[in-house]
Amino acid sequence: MASRRLEDLHPVTREKTKAFLQRAKEKGIDVLIYCTYRSPEEQEVLYMQGRLEQFGITLEELNKRRVKLGLWKLTDGEAKRKVTNAKPWQSFHQYGLAFDCVPLQGGKPDWNNVEAYRTLGSIASEIGLEWAGGWKRFRELPHFQDTETFQKIVKRGR
């Protein structure tokens, strides 16, 4: 199961995430971060979702892998929906450079609060994070990543 721990983020990304959470709080938005680091194995089963035929596996086989990783079993309908375009090691989660979050309303996740996500996207932009809710392809409201730090690491070769 993916980590929720800020300690599993890259040190620079962790500081940006703390600033993100503080600014969200100042704007009156409570946020739950539910994914920071995600293993390549978990990324693979997420990538397989919506692509069972392509991988030549059954829903039962995918669910066995998911349960082994601490994930819930998918229904037929859930298994048909793609949830990511990132293969293992293509996701910033594997490098501690991304997190997924949801705004809370009355202490409960409010997955459909587009206005709160837009505000969070603006906050992210101000502190150097990229919001996947602004992407043209495969928009993902809960996903935020530290593209800036990734580019610096790649330029350094580390």
Side-chain angles (χ1 to χ4, degrees), residues 9-56:
L9 293 171
H10 182 282
V12 174
T13 306
R14 183 181 321 123
E15 292 309 309
K16 289 181 181 183
T17 303
K18 287 178 181 178
F20 171 87
L21 292 170
Q22 180 59 40
R23 289 199 190 171
K25 187 176 185 176
E26 290 166 4
K27 299 250 184 194
I29 303 172
D30 288 326
V31 175
L32 170 67
I33 292 182
Y34 63 90
C35 179
T36 54
Y37 172 78
R38 181 184 299 139
S39 73
E41 295 80 14
E42 186 172 348
Q43 188 67 36
E44 182 175 48
V45 298
L46 292 175
Y47 183 73
M48 287 177 166
Q49 188 174 335
R51 299 176 176 90
L52 296 182
E53 284 185 33
Q54 178 183 333
F55 282 91

Side-chain angles (χ1 to χ4, degrees), residues 23-24 37 57 64 67 73 77 121 145 148 151:
R23 289 199 190 171
Y37 172 78
I57 65 168
K64 282 181 186 176
V67 169
K73 290 182 178 183
Q145 64 186 38
E148 182 179 86
Q151 290 170 342

Side-chain angles (χ1 to χ4, degrees), residues 9 23 25-26 32 60 62 67 75 97 114 121 124 127-128 145-148 150 157:
L9 293 171
R23 289 199 190 171
K25 187 176 185 176
E26 290 166 4
L32 170 67
E60 184 179 342
L62 178 63
V67 169
T75 64
L97 296 168
V114 176
I127 60 174
Q145 64 186 38
D146 191 354
T147 304
E148 182 179 86
F150 174 78

